[in-house]
Amino acid sequence: MNEAFVLLNVDYKQQQNIIEAAKKIPIAKAVKTIYGIYDILVILESNNMQDIKTAIDVDLHKIDGINNITSLIAVN
């Protein structure tokens, strides 16, 4: 199973909408509010690395209010 930990900086006024939209991504296993440099953590899991790439490059990028995306891909 491939995993990606995606850290988001978001517009605070849209944070709840972003969380709800991220939860709708089929391979999103968890979406959490976090404190510190980043605002939201999205954990993606899939057997297919292309699905993870699509979730980041397409699904997350089309959500309004995300200012920055940092992706951490776990390697087995």
Side-chain angles (χ1 to χ4, degrees):
M1 182 70 65
N2 300 305
E3 285 183 305
F5 301 90
V6 185
L7 300 163
L8 307 177
N9 292 111
V10 303
D11 178 350
Y12 179 74
K13 293 176 184 176
Q14 297 187 43
Q15 186 166 350
Q16 194 57 43
N17 293 335
I18 294 165
I19 290 169
E20 294 305 317
K23 285 180 178 179
K24 293 178 183 175
I25 297 171
I27 64 168
K29 297 303 172 196
V31 179
K32 300 176 182 279
T33 298
I34 56 176
Y35 295 99
I37 297 171
Y38 299 99
D39 305 306
I40 298 172
L41 168 66
V42 180
I43 301 173
L44 305 171
E45 288 184 1
S46 176
N47 287 323
N48 184 340
M49 188 57 78
Q50 185 60 44
D51 290 344
I52 290 175
K53 184 177 180 340
T54 300
I56 296 168
D57 292 344
V58 177
D59 298 332
L60 285 173
H61 277 265
K62 72 179 178 184
I63 299 172
D64 288 332
I66 297 175
N67 299 323
N68 183 52
I69 297 176
T70 301
S71 304
L72 307 167
I73 308 296
V75 180
N76 294 334

